[in-house]
Amino acid sequence: MSIRARISNLALLQFLSDYLAVVTAYFSTFLIRFHSEWGVKFFTFLNQLLGVRETGELPEIQEEFYLASAWRITSIIVVTVGVLYGLRDLYPGRRFITRRPTAWNIILANLIALGIFYTYFYLSRNVFHPRSFFAIALMLNVVYCLAFRGLLDRFLQRMRIKRKQGICRAVLIGQGREADFIHEFVSALHPHGIDVVARQVFDTQKPFESWIAELEAMCRHQDIGMIISAQSSLSVGQIMEFLELADRLDIPAKVLSEKMNVLVNEARVTMDMIQGTPLAHFEAPSSVYWFRPIRNTVSLIATLLGLVLLLPVLAAIALLVKLTSHGPVFFVQERIGANRQPFPMYKFRTMYHRADEMQAQVEEFNESGQALFKIRKDPRITKLGRFLRRFSLDELPQLINVLKGEMVLVGPRPLPRRDFENYYEEWHYGRHSGMPGLTCLWQVSGRSDLDFHNMCILDIYYLRNKSWVLDLKIILRTFWAIIFARGAY
């Protein structure tokens, strides 16, 4: 990896800074608790005040333990706070251009981490670890983390100014108040090294494909590293062509458009808001390709573990399906997956036997528009099936599809051929550029309460921004969506 590539990998540099902060905080705490007279006096006073113990001194065996176990404990702390930092959007790369509440998020993440450790100690009835050790370590970690990140920002700024490293050359598309604001803002602050080196105005007199071709030639000639669109008049289809251009160039893109409102309003994705309009960020393809083998391995391991743990639940549901209605336990239906390839998807049967043969008779009652077929009170669903659907229990057999390599845990939901054949815009097929999943951004944003058009926007946003952070957020929100059954029918 070149120096320029390392400087550009902001998330990796921030993680290394955070790792150093945890290690420094740990050994600072070790010195305070075991090799500092004022530290012993302070904790003696504090313990007497709280009535915990009479002295602040710790046994020699604990000193030896914390020294010998330094690598293991710091690794646990790093993983815990690292995951929490990720969930708080503290490793965003160049996803944001406006300033984020970094200090507050770091403080909150460390407080949550402390609560996790204390909960573990309480539930495991662990009396060996002094609670003050972890409280001090995480308190100091906040201080060191803010300090080291500040030093890192200064170092990166110096590298950009002195050695021209880590600069992202951007072209801004569009005109109007929002475009002017973005241009002035980025030109003044150069967030994360972004530098607007060219500005293009969308020419409505030319065919859109011709204008895109000219833009592509200009980007290749000037070594552009990011495209920012602030042309609010672009249709969703044109936005998708714009993103395809960014894919061909293998660079990230930002799109300012009210047509992306579903990402903020329903999906609750954190993003820049420019004068009330979302500025959606789409990563370069190469930045998500490395994630594929890792996520597939994690999906496989998690699926195997899930099948083992859920085996009694699966057996109970299978028995109830068999006892409450005539027909097979499982419903196997052809679904369209990655690269538009069909595969058999498994579900617990929730409808009466051969209900799929009645599709034409109930088509007129469809409530989800042209491409999706959904009816809130479908008469073909059994009483048990309605319960299973409400809590998504009918989807559990799809863990078998994950084991077969046809699905992953997180990805766009695979649709039946009937829905696939009713796509009404070419860009809709973009949702098949990745593996289908058990859950997705659409599932946790209202499911059937959202129309097909917005579902495709959410799916394409996910496929172009997928990461372990986004996957973990979706998985955590899935449990919440299942409990409250929003949009489940």
Side-chain angles (χ1 to χ4, degrees):
M1 184 182 291
S2 66
I3 293 177
R4 183 170 183 174
R6 288 197 298 269
I7 294 297
S8 298
N9 197 333
L10 302 178
L12 177 59
L13 290 174
Q14 289 172 334
F15 176 78
L16 293 175
S17 170
D18 297 340
Y19 181 86
L20 181 60
V22 169
V23 173
T24 306
Y26 181 87
F27 283 104
S28 296
T29 304
F30 179 83
L31 293 175
I32 290 172
R33 291 301 280 120
F34 296 105
H35 297 280
S36 170
E37 290 187 10
W38 70 265
V40 172
K41 292 179 180 178
F42 172 76
F43 284 101
T44 297
F45 168 76
L46 186 62
N47 289 336
Q48 290 175 344
L49 181 66
L50 298 176
V52 178
R53 62 170 73 92
E54 294 182 357
T55 176
E57 295 184 6
L58 296 175
E60 185 176 342
I61 188 174
Q62 286 186 321
E63 178 181 354
E64 296 174 355
F65 171 83
Y66 282 113
L67 187 60
S69 304
W71 183 87
R72 181 173 61 87
I73 296 176
T74 54
S75 296
I76 293 173
I77 296 175
V78 165
V79 170
T80 304
V81 298
V83 169
L84 292 171
Y85 285 176
L87 293 176
R88 299 300 302 177
D89 295 313
L90 288 169
Y91 299 120
R94 292 190 170 98
R95 186 150 57 95
F96 304 117
I97 62 172
T98 56
R99 187 176 294 276
R100 310 299 303 169
T102 301
W104 164 247
N105 283 322
I106 289 174
I107 293 171
L108 182 61
N110 279 271
L111 286 174
I112 295 173
L114 185 62
I116 292 173
F117 292 136
Y118 277 14
T119 300
Y120 169 75
F121 294 149
Y122 175 78
L123 294 177
S124 63
R125 301 186 183 278
N126 189 305
V127 294
F128 177 80
H129 293 291
R131 306 301 187 257
S132 59
F133 188 93
F134 287 85
I136 299 170
L138 290 173
M139 180 183 67
L140 291 177
N141 184 51
V142 171
V143 177
Y144 286 129
C145 183
L146 290 171
F148 290 168
R149 282 195 172 219
L151 291 173
L152 176 62
D153 289 342
R154 291 187 179 183
F155 167 75
L156 293 176
Q157 187 66 18
R158 184 178 181 84
M159 292 294 290
R160 290 163 186 152
I161 295 174
K162 299 292 184 180
R163 301 192 178 184
K164 305 300 180 182
Q165 296 292 333
I167 295 176
C168 180
R169 294 166 56 84
V171 59
L172 176 64
I173 312 299
Q175 56 188 342
R177 184 179 59 181
E178 293 88 353
D180 292 340
F181 175 84
I182 293 175
H183 194 181
E184 294 172 5
F185 183 88
V186 174
S187 298
L189 300 180
H190 300 288
H192 313 301
I194 300 174
D195 184 20
V196 175
V197 297
R199 183 169 177 178
Q200 295 287 320
V201 176
F202 175 50
D203 190 349
T204 57
Q205 302 302 316
K206 292 183 179 179
F208 188 76
E209 293 76 11
S210 175
W211 180 77
I212 283 287
E214 292 180 7
L215 178 61
E216 180 174 359
M218 187 273 291
C219 289
R220 293 186 185 278
H221 179 70
Q222 297 195 28
D223 190 26
I224 296 299
M226 177 183 288
I227 309 178
I228 305 173
S229 171
Q231 187 67 38
S232 59
S233 63
L234 295 183
S235 67
V236 177
Q238 290 174 327
I239 290 173
M240 295 305 165
E241 290 189 50
F242 175 79
L243 294 178
E244 289 176 4
L245 165 62
D247 282 357
R248 292 195 296 272
L249 297 171
D250 193 25
I251 59 177
K254 292 181 180 292
V255 177
L256 183 77
S257 175
E258 292 182 351
K259 300 174 182 67
M260 299 290 109
N261 279 345
V262 65
L263 295 169
V264 177
N265 297 337
E266 278 75 30
R268 302 201 305 275
V269 176
T270 304
M271 59 181 59
D272 290 317
M273 298 296 292
I274 306 299
Q275 299 180 356
T277 304
L279 182 64
H281 180 87
F282 297 86
E283 285 290 353
S286 59
S287 66
V288 298
Y289 284 159
W290 68 270
F291 180 60
R292 184 181 300 170
I294 298 175
R295 74 194 296 264
N296 290 346
T297 302
V298 172
S299 288
L300 183 60
I301 296 173
T303 299
L304 286 170
L305 182 61
L307 280 172
V308 172
L309 295 177
L310 292 172
L311 193 57
V313 177
L314 294 170
I317 294 175
L319 181 61
L320 287 172
V321 171
K322 192 66 176 176
L323 293 176
T324 55
S325 62
H326 176 70
V329 170
F330 296 106
F331 175 67
V332 183
Q333 185 182 49
E334 182 190 61
R335 295 291 178 105
I336 310 300
N339 301 316
R340 312 186 192 185
Q341 294 301 309
F343 70 96
M345 193 186 78
Y346 307 104
K347 299 178 65 174
F348 282 120
R349 182 174 54 82
T350 58
M351 291 186 175
Y352 293 105
H353 187 40
R354 295 185 175 178
D356 53 319
E357 298 175 5
M358 301 171 56
Q359 179 76 33
Q361 301 176 31
V362 296
E363 190 73 41
E364 62 179 303
F365 302 109
N366 183 23
E367 301 176 14
S368 294
Q370 182 178 349
L372 285 178
F373 181 84
K374 295 286 183 180
I375 303 177
R376 290 181 183 272
K377 296 183 179 180
D378 195 323
R380 299 172 298 166
I381 300 177
T382 65
K383 291 182 179 180
L384 175 64
R386 200 167 299 281
F387 173 83
L388 295 178
R389 287 192 175 201
R390 186 180 189 279
F391 295 101
S392 299
L393 296 174
D394 60 317
E395 311 285 358
L396 290 178
Q398 289 158 42
L399 292 170
I400 299 172
N401 291 114
V402 177
L403 286 181
K404 292 174 62 179
E406 297 163 337
M407 296 176 64
V408 289
L409 292 181
V410 182
R413 289 294 295 162
L415 297 179
R417 182 169 292 278
R418 177 265 173 210
D419 296 350
F420 177 78
E421 292 177 348
N422 280 290
Y423 289 6
Y424 50 91
E425 291 193 37
E426 183 62 31
W427 65 269
H428 292 161
Y429 295 98
R431 66 185 304 275
H432 294 281
S433 62
M435 292 286 285
L438 282 172
T439 185
C440 61
L441 200 54
W442 172 71
Q443 289 274 92
V444 300
S445 304
R447 274 196 278 190
S448 300
D449 288 341
L450 293 180
D451 60 20
F452 176 74
H453 178 84
N454 281 319
M455 182 187 77
C456 288
I457 292 176
L458 294 178
D459 287 340
I460 290 174
Y461 176 84
Y462 168 78
L463 290 171
R464 295 173 184 268
N465 291 279
K466 55 187 174 184
S467 65
W468 69 267
V469 174
L470 186 54
D471 276 7
L472 184 56
K473 285 183 176 182
I474 291 174
I475 290 172
L476 292 175
R477 287 178 59 187
T478 297
F479 292 108
W480 186 264
I482 289 173
I483 292 172
F484 290 95
R486 182 188 174 194
Y489 54 86

